[in-house]
Amino acid sequence: MNKKLTKSRSDAMLDGVCSGIAHYFNIDPTVIRLGWVIFSLLGGSGIIAYIIAAIIIPGDNIQ
């Protein structure tokens, strides 16, 4: 099986980064979202990381 990390358009809140990461690791997207919020509150670097991930990770092309 060939897994690819892509942004999820079907389960997206902002840009689909967290749900794409959750689908890649087969875990609940809420866990990734909560982790990202905590990461953002601890210095603000999570916001920059999210923006970079939104630019780098390709979309899943599902409409």
Side-chain angles (χ1 to χ4, degrees), residues 35-49:
W36 214 293
V37 168
I38 291 169
F39 186 53
S40 296
L41 293 175
L42 297 174
S45 59
I47 298 168
I48 296 168

Side-chain angles (χ1 to χ4, degrees), residues 18 22 27-38:
C18 293
I27 57 176
D28 187 32
T30 306
V31 174
I32 301 295
R33 290 178 181 129
L34 287 174
W36 214 293
V37 168
I38 291 169

Side-chain angles (χ1 to χ4, degrees), residues 2 11-12 14 17 61-63:
N2 189 9
D11 191 24
L14 291 176
V17 173
N61 296 328
I62 295 175
Q63 304 289 328

